Structures are given as structure tokens and as C-alpha cells.
């Protein structure tokens, strides 16, 4: 039996893990699962790719096995909040996969598709509800979902949710949750806004931190090419036109740029598709399916859309545009070199984005090696001292591409403060073990 047995997980779960080929818990799993099985609140500092989904899904399933109860109508025993529909769907799939040998029901809730099936799925109640905050609140407002029932609540990628302007939605959701609950908060980064959120939601939490930056990034070979912006498409074509590029994700800042780049590659014989917030759910799913089965070699994505790309064999990440937020660079390049593989992260940097590269280099603590031996090398871009560009677009809109998403989106305003003043969900008891669910209605 696998090393997961030592963590104390039940046999039906161990069986599923065996079939998945998981033999050894990842560091976040080894660190978090024992605390979660004891019912403790948790602050998990971990990025996608570290195995964090299983880190919360496995002990949750174990809890459901140990305390079999029918979920209340329109309610869920467990609520998982995640920022994007891709991530919501992926978390739902992971739960279903790990729960294949037990009785288990779940629903996924996200916008961009009709709500009828989601409403129908919730009528009888589910064990696990995975939801994006906006649509969840819509359905709660319409009376289709009752938030008074969850015994365990997970906020996944909390920093992304704040970046996307979901802070008020989250606080409105939390205000409706029962005070007696176990709460888990996962975040890749720990800005002050996350510290505040964690403080208001968690009770005497355990903190588990994994630092994939060093371990993951070491396996990622990074490079930057300095090129003028007018030459970026040609430079990208040169990079992609290489047999070693098996499966690549290209990042752009803007949705329209993602479309243009995907069209350009397709016209030049490289099977490519764009995914971003303006694409229909169907188009995104087709693109992801093609990417998985290899019929699409290059996926062109904006930062937010890329959050849900769960494909292990990404050989290359190309930054067509550098991100304006250094943390996003770390997230992007983490799409490659997953599951123990090696990968390449190659960035195209023009004169305007040169300042962003300096910030990224400060963030990762080293210079990105420069490749200058190519036909598009621009000395002007390399030596540029231009101030960073000011991006257009609004602030903090839900589901925007990164172009419209600024750090300021998560800062408090009067609405935020009044929500915070209510101290939603902060249990009054000084309980140490956050679970006390025997009295929970079911
Ligand atoms: P996540 O960080 O949850 O997105 O997981 C990243 C990837 O690692 C997913 O493809 C998981 O299926 C996979 N994974 C998670 N835990 C393990 C494990 N213990 N052994 C092998 N693969 C795993």
C-alpha cells in the first residue's frame, strides 16, 4: 500500500489513489492532511502544481466517509470556492476521481453557462459544492442554494480571488455560513489582504507552506529574448517552430492579442487556439480537449484563463507579453516542468516591458539568461530605460484579462470595511478544534 496509508486515510480513498498512480504524498499533502484530519483550520501557502487540490480533497472525503449524513436540500456539507470556472470544474473532477469508490455527490457552480442544471443539481443537496463566488451568490440570492449548512469551507487560490475583485462576494458568502465549521484557505502568496482575510475567517489555524518557487523553478529553464514589439510574432514563430515544442502555452496580456497570436500561428501551420474570458464555455472546453489530445499544440492564454490549465506535459511556456505583476510570472512559468518533468519558459521582452523584467528578476532573485543570437535581437529593447506602460481597462472587474486587473483591486473600500465590521463567520467560542458538527442539521 502507498505512503498515503500512514497519513490515516480510509481504504476507498487509498484504492483510488493507487489507481491514480499516486504513491507518495507531495509536501503540501504530507503537511496539511494530518491537521485537516484532526479538524483544524488551515492556512495553506501553495501554488497550483504542488498537489494542493488533493491536500484538501482527500481529508474532506475521509471526513465524509467517517460521518455519513444526507446533505440538506439546497445545501452542501462542504463548500469549495475557487476563482475561475476552469478551476472549479477541475476541482470537481478531482473530487469525483478520488471519491470513485465511495458514495459521493457533488455539484459545480460557475457563470457563463445556463443556471438550470446547476439549480437542479442542488435541489437534493450535495456532499461537496465547488463554486465560483459570483454565480454562487446569484443562486443564493434566488433562493436556490442555502449557505447555512457547510461543515467544511475551502477558499482555493484566495489571492487570485482577491486579485479578481471577489473580496466583497467572499465576505457576503462567509457572512451566511455557519460559525461552527472547519475553514481552509489556500493562497500562493501572502499579501496583507490575504493575511487580513485569513485572520477574519480562520480560527487558530495551522499554517503549512511549501515553496515551489525554488524546487519548481529550478527545473524550469528560463530565457529572455529582447525584440521590438513589431517583431514579436515572427520571433514567437521561430521559437514555436521547433520539434521540441510538444505542447506550449503562450501568454498575452490582452484577450484581443491572444486571438491575434492564435490566428497568426494557425495561419502559419501551427495548430493553435486562444482561451480567455470572452470565449464561450464550449470554445474553451474544445480548446482544452484539443490541447490535451495533441491536436492543438499551442494554447494562447491570458493569465486568468490559464489558471485552470491542468495539463502536466506542457514542454514550453512562452511569454509573448511579460506580465506586469512579478508574481504572475512565477505562476505562468509554473505551467511547465510539472510532475517532475523539465520545461522551458522563454519570454519576449520589448522596450516597454523591460522595466517589468527587472521587477520579475528582483522577485525571483536572479537574472533571466538572455538569448541574443537570433535575427530579431533588439539592443534598444535590451537597454531600454522606459517607464513601465500604463495599462488601460477598468479595475478589478470580475473575469477580466490581466490587462484590466490591478493590484489595487483587492484593497478595501467602504463596502469592504462595512462587511469586515460584521466580522463574518468569526466564531465566538475559543474552540481549538473547529469541527463540532454533531448538531449540524442534515
Ligand atoms: P494541483 O496542485 O492540485 O493542481 O496538482 C497538480 C498535479 O499533481 C495534478 O495533475 C495532480 O493530479 C497531481 N498530483 C497531486 N498529488 C499527487 C501525488 N501525491 N502524486 C502524484 N501526482 C499528484
Amino acid at each position: 500500500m502507498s505512503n498515503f496509508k500512514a497519513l490515516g486515510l480510509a481504504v476507498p480513498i487509498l484504492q483510488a489513489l493507487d489507481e491514480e498512480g499516486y504513491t507518495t504524498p507531495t509536501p503540501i499533502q504530507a503537511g496539511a492532511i494530518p491537521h485537516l484530519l484532526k479538524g483544524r483550520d488551515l492556512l495553506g501557502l501553495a501554488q497550483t502544481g504542488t498537489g494542493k487540490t488533493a491536500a484538501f480533497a482527500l481529508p474532506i472525503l475521509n471526513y465524509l466517509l467517517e460521518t455519513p449524513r444526507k446533505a440538506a436540500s439546497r445545501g452542501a456539507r462542504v463548500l469549495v470556492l475557487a476563482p475561475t470556472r476552469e478551476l472549479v470544474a477541475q476541482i470537481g473532477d478531482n473530487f469525483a476521481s478520488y471519491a470513485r469508490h465511495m458514495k459521493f455527490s457533488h455539484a459545480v457552480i460557475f457563470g457563463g453557462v445556463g443556471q438550470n442544471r446547476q439549480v437542479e443539481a442542488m435541489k437534493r443537496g450535495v456532499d461537496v459544492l465547488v463554486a465560483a463566488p459570483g454565480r454562487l451568490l446569484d443562486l443564493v440570492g434566488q433562493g436556490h442554494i442555502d449557505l447555512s449548512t457547510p461543515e467544511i469551507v475551502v477558499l482555493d487560490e484566495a489571492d487570485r480571488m482577491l486579485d479578481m475583485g471577489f473580496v466583497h462576494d467572499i465576505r457576503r458568502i462567509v457572512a451566511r455560513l455557519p460559525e461552527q465549521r472547519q475553514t481552509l484557505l489556500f493562497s500562493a502568496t501572502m499579501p496583507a489582504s490575504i493575511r487580513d482575510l485569513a485572520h477574519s475567517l480562520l480560527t487558530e489555524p495551522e499554517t503549512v507552506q511549501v515553496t515551489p518557487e525554488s524546487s519548481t523553478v529550478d527545473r524550469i529553464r528560463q530565457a529572455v529574448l529582447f525584440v521590438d514589439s513589431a517583431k514579436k510574432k515572427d520571433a514567437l514563430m521561430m521559437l514555436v517552430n521547433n520539434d521540441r515544442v510538444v505542447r506550449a502555452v503562450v501568454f498575452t496580456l490582452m484577450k484581443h492579442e491572444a486571438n491575434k497570436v492564435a490566428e497568426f500561428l494557425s495561419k502559419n501551420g501551427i495548430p493553435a487556439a486562444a482561451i480567455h474570458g470572452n470565449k464561450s464555455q464550449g470554445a474553451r472546453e474544445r480548446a482544452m480537449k484539443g490541447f490535451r489530445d495533441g491536436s492543438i499544440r499551442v494554447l494562447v492564454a491570458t493569465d486568468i484563463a490559464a489558471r485552470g490549465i491542468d495539463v502536466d506535459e506542457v514542454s514550453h511556456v512562452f511569454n509573448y507579453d511579460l506580465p506586469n505583476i512579478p508574481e504572475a510570472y512565477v505562476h505562468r512559468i509554473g505551467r511547465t516542468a510539472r510532475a517532475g518533468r523539465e520545461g522551458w519558459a522563454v519570454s519576449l521582452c520589448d522596450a516597454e516591458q523591460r522595466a517589468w523584467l527587472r521587477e520579475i528578476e528582483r522577485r525571483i532573485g536572479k537574472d533571466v539568461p538572455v538569448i541574443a543570437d537570433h535575427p530579431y535581437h533588439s539592443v534598444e529593447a535590451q537597454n531600454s530605460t522606459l517607464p513601465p506602460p500604463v495599462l488601460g481597462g477598468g479595475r478589478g472587474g470580475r473575469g477580466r484579462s490581466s490587462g484590466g486587473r490591478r493590484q489595487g483591486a483587492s484593497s478595501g473600500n467602504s463596502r469592504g470595511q462595512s462587511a469586515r465590521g460584521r466580522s463574518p463567520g468569526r466564531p465566538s467560542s475559543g474552540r481549538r478544534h473547529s469541527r463540532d458538527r454533531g448538531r449540524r442539521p442534515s
Side-chain angles (χ1 to χ4, degrees):
M1 215 23 120
S2 72
N3 298 326
F4 281 97
K5 192 177 178 188
L7 291 176
L9 295 168
V11 171
I13 300 172
L14 295 175
Q15 220 177 325
L17 294 178
D18 223 24
E19 289 159 9
E20 284 289 304
Y22 295 7
T23 52
T24 312
T26 65
I28 186 77
Q29 292 162 4
I33 290 173
H35 297 308
L36 296 177
L37 289 175
K38 282 188 212 142
R40 297 294 302 264
D41 281 7
L42 184 92
L43 175 59
L45 294 166
Q47 298 183 353
T48 297
T50 55
K52 70 178 161 60
T53 314
F56 63 79
L58 302 178
I60 286 173
L61 291 173
N62 206 81
Y63 170 74
L64 293 173
L65 269 172
E66 281 180 351
T67 58
R69 275 201 280 276
K70 213 172 128 356
S73 167
R74 296 178 296 112
R77 296 191 59 196
V78 177
L79 171 66
V80 181
L81 291 176
T84 64
R85 46 190 166 182
E86 282 80 8
L87 192 61
V88 166
Q90 183 189 313
I91 294 168
D93 288 348
N94 286 3
F95 264 103
S97 165
Y98 304 140
R100 70 182 74 147
H101 296 299
M102 57 187 270
K103 199 165 164 298
F104 171 75
S105 61
H106 81 289
V108 289
I109 302 273
F110 45 72
V113 295
Q115 68 173 48
N116 290 354
R117 277 171 59 180
Q118 300 176 357
V119 169
E120 198 54 39
M122 285 304 296
K123 269 194 181 145
R124 285 170 40 190
V126 291
D127 292 319
V128 173
L129 168 61
V130 190
R135 172 60 67 87
L136 177 64
L137 272 178
D138 287 348
L139 297 190
V140 169
Q142 294 171 42
H144 295 304
I145 294 179
D146 173 6
L147 284 182
S148 71
T149 69
E151 298 153 52
I152 306 179
V153 175
V154 182
L155 282 85
D156 194 17
E157 305 209 350
D159 50 351
R160 279 292 130 167
M161 289 201 276
L162 296 195
D163 278 353
M164 290 167 70
F166 283 136
V167 66
H168 306 304
D169 286 356
I170 289 174
R171 292 199 179 272
R172 284 164 63 200
I173 289 166
V174 169
R176 293 168 177 262
L177 294 171
E179 292 206 338
Q180 288 291 347
R181 58 169 200 264
Q182 183 182 17
T183 310
L184 289 54
L185 189 151
F186 286 86
S187 181
T189 57
M190 191 64 179
S193 53
I194 289 291
R195 235 180 280 270
D196 286 352
L197 190 69
H199 182 70
S200 68
L201 302 189
L202 306 176
T203 304
E204 295 183 24
E206 293 286 348
T207 300
V208 176
Q209 179 164 17
V210 296
T211 47
E213 284 98 296
S214 53
S215 51
T216 308
V217 173
D218 283 351
R219 282 206 315 276
I220 303 172
R221 284 176 284 182
Q222 302 175 60
V224 60
L225 279 66
F226 291 104
V227 294
D228 294 331
S229 56
K231 293 290 177 200
K232 276 192 174 179
K233 285 199 183 67
D234 295 326
L236 179 67
M237 192 62 204
M238 168 188 78
L239 292 168
V240 170
N241 233 341
N242 180 324
D243 288 346
R244 277 183 294 183
V245 179
V246 181
R247 218 181 241 112
V249 180
V250 173
F251 283 93
T252 65
L253 274 174
M254 304 296 184
K255 298 173 205 176
H256 66 87
E257 195 74 55
N259 287 338
K260 279 201 253 170
V261 170
E263 273 166 32
F264 173 81
L265 292 173
S266 302
K267 268 195 202 127
N268 285 281
I270 307 279
I275 60 164
H276 52 66
N278 287 359
K279 293 273 177 185
S280 69
Q281 180 72 359
R284 287 179 183 217
E285 279 167 10
R286 274 195 301 284
M288 282 309 301
K289 183 170 174 297
F291 193 53
R292 272 201 195 90
D293 70 24
S295 57
I296 286 172
R297 195 149 70 93
V298 180
L299 209 52
V300 188
T302 54
D303 286 279
I304 289 179
R307 295 297 295 170
I309 301 174
D310 180 33
V311 178
D312 286 338
E313 295 97 8
V314 174
S315 61
H316 291 69
V317 166
F318 295 113
N319 290 314
Y320 184 84
D321 290 307
L322 282 168
N324 58 327
I325 302 169
E327 199 54 41
Y329 178 84
V330 177
H331 278 292
R332 287 179 178 191
I333 72 173
R335 314 312 310 188
T336 185
R338 293 176 70 167
R341 293 179 180 80
E342 294 207 325
W344 271 99
V346 184
S347 302
L348 299 175
C349 179
D350 59 37
E352 281 211 302
Q353 297 181 355
R354 184 70 180 87
W356 291 345
L357 178 64
R358 291 193 188 97
E359 283 183 37
I360 288 164
E361 290 178 331
R362 261 197 296 279
R363 164 68 181 80
I364 62 173
K366 60 184 176 193
D367 287 349
V368 178
V370 178
I371 297 178
D373 184 16
H374 59 86
Y376 308 106
H377 181 64
S378 162
V379 177
E380 193 197 347
Q382 184 164 18
N383 296 334
S384 167
T385 53
L386 288 176
V390 176
L391 295 179
R395 286 167 32 118
R398 198 179 289 163
R400 283 178 192 282
S401 77
S402 60
R405 192 162 46 81
R406 298 281 66 75
Q407 290 97 321
S410 62
S411 64
N413 59 16
S414 56
R415 272 178 68 205
Q417 259 124 40
S418 67
R420 195 165 302 151
R422 289 199 304 272
S423 274
R426 182 90 179 145
S428 47
S429 70
R431 79 202 144 91
R432 183 170 165 75
H433 295 269
S434 36
R435 264 189 211 135
D436 173 19
R437 307 184 180 104
R439 295 174 287 113
R440 189 127 313 287
S442 59

